[in-house]
Amino acid sequence: MDDEIDFPDNDNLLRKRLPMILPDDEGIMSGLINFGTLPKTLPILTLRDNVLFPRVAIPVLIGREKTHRLLSYIEEAPNKHVLVVAQRDADIEDPAPKDLVETGTVAEVVRIMQIDDELTTIILQGKRLIKLGRLTQHDPFMRAYFEEVPETKPRKSDEEYRELGSSILETMVEILRMRGDAPTPFIESLQSLKSTETIVNFASNNFPDTVEDKLGLLLDTNYKQRGFQVHKLLNKIKLQEELRKDILERTHYEMDKQQKEYFLQQQMRMIKKEINDSADDDSAELLERASKKKWSAEVQDSFEKEVKKLQRMPSQSPDYSIQIQYLETLLDLPWNEYTEDSFDINKAKAVLDKDHFGLEKVKERILEHLSVLKLKGNMHAPILCLYGPPGVGKTSLGRSIAEALGRKYVRISLGGLHDEAEIRGHRRTYIGAMPGRLIKGFLKAGSSNPVFVLDEVDKLGSDYKGDPSSALLEVLDPEQNNTFHDNYLDLDYDLSQTLFIATANNVGEIPDALRDRMEMIEVTGYIQEEKTEIASRHLLPKALKQVGLKPSAIKIAKPTIDEIIEFYTRESGVRELDKRINEIIRKAVKDAAMEKENVEDYFPIKVGKTDLEHYLGQKKYIRERYDGNKYAGVVTGLAWTSVGGEILLVESAPSPSKSGKMSITGNLGDVMKESAVLALEYLKSHAHLYDIPTEIFDYWNVHIHVPEGAIPKDGPSAGITIVTSLVSTFTQRKVKPNIAMTGEITLRGKVLPVGGIREKILAAKRAGITTIILCKENERDVKEIKPVYLEGLDFIYVSDIKEVIDHALSDETVSHPIDLMARIKEAQKPAQTPNDSKQQ
């Protein structure tokens, strides 16, 4: 069976290709049957792909032989009612009782129409919901008992239910109008329906696409719930129709639209020509703004050409807005517009000192630049590169410099940048073209002489899109950057008055050509004393201000800050220290909120050393401490790390052997291992200087170890420390107390200078060292350190390793010295023969 068929054009009851019949609202209502007037059993009419609802009339095409026999019976029978049920599987030709849905509708056969010899169409009008009972007949058609299924109807006073019916009716009409296949009289008749039950059942019967959806609605005997469900389905169908209509409109052939636009543009052109309108409002506004710019004649000529190009463009063209954007970019750039520099050197020094403690070299270089600028009045700005470990204030220094100079401040991050167009801009031939980050920076600053910070210049990348570091060569060359060419502008822009400040962590990652164009200024890590001052002057007040507390609310004494630095941070800068101070303040505020109704009544408080465990927990870092000189072969060296200076213990110990080898442990790098090999070879060739028998190296292994094996260590500065440790081991002489050393050695025994002297000296002072041995050439580094940091320290400057040994080792040996020569004498005894034994 099929519920969608072609009907004859001369049929007045049905329209062609219309699978639904509009019910007579009042007729259905008055024609509801009384079950008492029906027989106890009725014939069964099965539907393949449809469901019949009460109060609804549908056409059904009859094709099966068994159904034709049923119609023959109906034509002769006085009762025209049948039980209409749906099949579970539409593909079954001769369904059995188990293949039928138990719930259906009792319906009246309103009309039987013979289309041709084989096709017959009937009109079924649903009456009431029923449930099939026991089957009483199988042939020539099925007949069965049935019982009424009660349906729940809302009260007439239910306003929501009436509005639901109206909304369903309105949505059905919208769907039919969008489809366009329903006659206007049909839609008008549909709109005249008044019974909400009829509207709900009509929508449920005719609009859902699948039999499963219709059955779901039929089995819901609550009319209000059924109404909400069918309304949901109708909204879905409506959305699908809207999408279908939208797709058809978008894929429609657009030649008519293009022709219309073409003729309109031609008409506009003729109108402009007739009224002599040479420029529209946009062009006039742009030219007026251009008259106030201080740019060169070359830029002025280029701008006027671009404006003329704009005037020839139709305003509806996509290129019109692109051209407007380009011209506005040219107008917004600060061509030859500069801020006035502040030449008060003392004021500039005060600003730099206020914002940053330490960094003397950097601040002195800025003051030098200001002084020369004050004298000459104009000069090419230098390209400074501040390099050093993270958290030491390289980036924030740029803002302070801008404040000291009275200039605008711009910062761009170059970390991870790998597209050259980010520097030079995109050519305007590309869709979405933009100027580069440099030009955007000048647009943001509004002046041509800002302080421009290029952050993380060592982290530039490169790929198939180009090499940004190569693009920076022109930017950072004082001899070239007065004609910097941006691809988007396609004009030269003067960068020579800009003070560029680049920052980097690792100088080795910066390309040589780029590094050569910059003045490298090292920003070393802060020593502990500087960190204490920074925390006291800057970090603590800033943290208190952020949480809304007065500067006097929380006091942290300098000894407590020292404790935080030493046991709760490990860094070169102050970033982690700032986090720890903020952690203390947050916990103090939490304690106050839990203890006091008014938080401010809890303050002021003082945080001491004993309170740190409460605020910060257990100590996270334990620094190495000097461990005395009870053992031979243990020498204290000094090391530089990215988080400051550290003391470094070097241990060596002998063990009997027949070959005399050296073992090295402690996670050492190649350079440090080479220093150990060099130290042993030097000792072998100069053993007579230290009264060491050369045979010792053939009968004793030596093991060199640097504790804290999990931490990588490298560098040549432990050279003299390793030699001193070996001499102490082979002579069993003690190292003098409270002494440390650092320096590189050569095979001839010369002591060479090393770096990181300031950090190493302060680490030694913290560890309780009182005497430090250094290379003679490192004396200049010591003189640059403030005298207050050198109090209590004695320095011994040497140029030869022999001097190191003389100053570092005492004549006292350990309490139970190892007799190294005993092993040699034992090994040198002649072996006894059997004859010798008999004689004895």
Side-chain angles (χ1 to χ4, degrees), residues 273-293:
K273 186 176 180 181
E274 289 293 326
I275 64 175
N276 195 25
D277 186 6
S278 60
D280 58 12
D281 294 340
D282 290 336
S283 301
E285 181 183 352
L286 293 171
L287 289 171
E288 182 181 356
R289 290 176 58 189
S291 63
K292 302 175 183 178
K293 299 298 291 184

Side-chain angles (χ1 to χ4, degrees), residues 41-154:
T41 64
L42 283 175
I44 298 175
L45 177 64
T46 59
L47 301 180
R48 287 181 188 266
D49 299 306
N50 205 352
V51 176
L52 177 61
F53 281 70
R55 306 172 181 269
V56 178
I58 64 169
V60 177
L61 182 65
I62 304 301
R64 288 187 281 202
E65 181 62 29
K66 184 176 285 190
T67 312
H68 275 290
R69 291 198 294 268
L70 171 61
L71 292 182
S72 298
Y73 167 78
I74 292 292
E75 286 180 330
E76 301 296 330
N79 193 311
K80 305 295 185 182
H81 290 85
V82 292
L83 303 176
V84 181
V85 295
Q87 294 181 200
R88 298 182 187 277
D89 187 354
D91 296 329
I92 298 176
E93 183 64 26
D94 188 12
K98 63 185 176 89
D99 301 319
L100 303 179
V101 178
E102 293 179 358
T103 303
T105 308
V106 60
E108 182 182 1
V109 180
V110 177
R111 186 174 178 184
I112 302 175
M113 298 176 292
Q114 190 69 37
I115 298 176
D116 54 34
D117 294 337
E118 297 180 358
L119 293 176
T120 301
T121 299
I122 65 173
I123 305 299
L124 294 176
Q125 186 169 295
K127 298 292 185 178
R128 289 194 177 180
L129 204 61
I130 57 94
K131 183 176 182 181
L132 288 180
R134 180 172 56 85
L135 207 66
T136 62
Q137 176 182 312
H138 286 276
D139 290 312
F141 49 82
M142 289 186 287
R143 181 185 282 270
Y145 286 98
F146 61 97
E147 62 181 86
E148 182 183 8
V149 176
E151 297 180 277
T152 305
K153 301 175 185 177

Side-chain angles (χ1 to χ4, degrees), residues 753-766:
V754 292
I757 295 300
R758 186 179 68 154
E759 288 81 3
K760 291 177 179 179
I761 289 174
L762 292 167
K765 186 176 180 181
R766 287 195 301 269

